[in-house]
């Protein structure tokens, strides 16, 4: 089973930057990897994904232009660079595998990392 471990969360101020990491115990060149976030009482939201084949990226409108997803195949790690953070970005952030493409359903999940943005 694929294991994913997120790190890099924390408490920051509005406008700050954070970089999340997702370490994957599998050859990530075979997998599309997505980032999701969830706040209490709300459904988990898909915010970004990077494909395995051509590195194509997708973003939710809520983070487009502020967040950047990237991957380092040598380290089997996917990153989420978050800039100009806003209080509404406060959530638990998860990474997940999405099979062979970003349209696939998420299957293996990490444990999540908390991001808190204060005004």
């Amino acid at each position: 089973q694929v294991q994913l471990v997120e790190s890099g969360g924390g408490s920051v101020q509005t406008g700050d930057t954070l970089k999340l990491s997702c370490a994957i115990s599998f050859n990530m060149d075979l997998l599309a990897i997505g980032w999701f976030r969830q706040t209490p009482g709300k459904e988990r939201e898909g915010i970004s994904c990077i494909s395995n084949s051509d590195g194509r990226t997708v973003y939710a409108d809520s983070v487009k232009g502020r967040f950047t997803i990237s991957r380092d195949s040598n380290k089997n790690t996917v990153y989420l660079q978050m800039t100009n953070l806003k209080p509404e970005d406060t959530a638990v952030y998860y990474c997940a595998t999405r099979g062979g493409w970003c349209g696939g359903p998420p299957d293996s999940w990490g444990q999540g990392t908390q991001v808190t943005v204060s005004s």
Side-chain angles (χ1 to χ4, degrees):
Q1 184 176 354
V2 179
Q3 293 185 326
L4 302 94
V5 179
E6 302 96 336
S7 61
S11 296
V12 297
Q13 301 284 326
T14 297
D16 283 352
T17 295
L18 272 179
K19 188 173 184 178
L20 306 183
S21 299
C22 173
I24 303 159
S25 67
F26 195 78
N27 183 355
M28 57 181 283
D29 288 339
L30 302 177
L31 301 169
I33 305 296
W35 282 99
F36 299 77
R37 66 186 181 186
Q38 188 171 26
T39 55
K42 293 188 177 181
E43 290 189 1
R44 197 167 291 189
E45 172 192 18
I47 58 173
S48 186
C49 184
I50 186 164
S51 69
N52 58 322
S53 56
D54 56 8
R56 190 172 302 181
T57 58
V58 293
Y59 298 94
D61 288 343
S62 57
V63 305
K64 197 174 295 183
R66 299 187 299 123
F67 291 10
T68 303
I69 191 171
S70 62
R71 59 195 291 155
D72 184 337
S73 296
N74 292 329
K75 296 182 178 180
N76 265 357
T77 300
V78 172
Y79 304 98
L80 187 68
Q81 177 84 7
M82 307 186 294
T83 63
N84 191 22
L85 282 161
K86 306 175 181 180
E88 51 264 41
D89 294 318
T90 295
V92 178
Y93 284 72
Y94 301 87
C95 58
T97 58
R98 302 201 68 166
W101 66 304
C102 283
D107 36 40
S108 297
W109 294 88
Q111 83 288 349
T113 185
Q114 176 72 47
V115 172
T116 303
V117 185
S118 57
S119 57

